[in-house]
Amino acid sequence: MVGFAVAFLVFLLAPPFLPYRFAPYPLINWADVVDLATPLVLIPLYWLLLTDSPVPPSRGWIIAFLVLAAAWVDGHGIHLAANAIGHRLKGQTGPALDLTEFWDEKFGHYLWHTAVLGLSALVLIRHARAPAPAERPSWTGLIAAAVYGFTLFLIGNEGGTAPLVVPFAAAVTLAAWPLRRRLLPSPVLAMFALGYALALAVFAIWFVYWGGRLPQFSDLGWIK
């Protein structure tokens, strides 16, 4: 669980901190090159979480996973390409910039993050429906939840998808309440259920701190 959460953190947050030109092809940054590996690493990890059960997933579960995984890759790819082009258009105005802004910040981010939430829900539901684990409570799930929840806040806030992430996090938090006794013995349930609760709490703190706003970090000048 911690491995998935750390990979989620690294691959979704590393690109903004790599604004250096890629020497073999200077029109793109190292951020774009690193970001190419994001779905190649994370989608298989989602699959491993989904199938981490004695009972193999049925055809319905597999189809649902494939649809969400395709949406994940589609949204991420649109974001990656449009974001790379948008970097070359900074300081300009016109329809080209507006179009890249739409595909990146609007359509791409919302499609991508919808699939991020959908895949987590798929894994969460499958593990919630499995027999209660007999293991003792583990801190692994808490560590993974802290990393996943904070990462989710960061990408939801900077990605401009808080209107999508916040209601979903609230819904997961409420739905997971009846499962509270099963969370610590199940690292997967703990990572997603407690992770969404943490993300919701951080969004609330951010909202209150900024007087009823959710400013993006780039708007504050914290990242470029």
Side-chain angles (χ1 to χ4, degrees), residues 3 7 17 22 27 43 54 56 71 79 88 92 103 120 130-131 150 161 176 180 201-202 221:
F17 298 98
F22 182 62
L27 290 179
I43 295 301
H79 149 77
R88 306 300 298 179
Q92 303 181 31
W103 282 117
S120 69
F150 190 62
T161 56
R180 60 190 181 280
V202 179

Side-chain angles (χ1 to χ4, degrees), residues 4-15 42 147-148 150-151 154:
F4 171 85
V6 170
F8 190 75
L9 168 71
V10 170
F11 281 99
L12 271 69
L13 297 186
L42 289 179
V147 176
Y148 181 80
F150 190 62
T151 305
L154 295 177

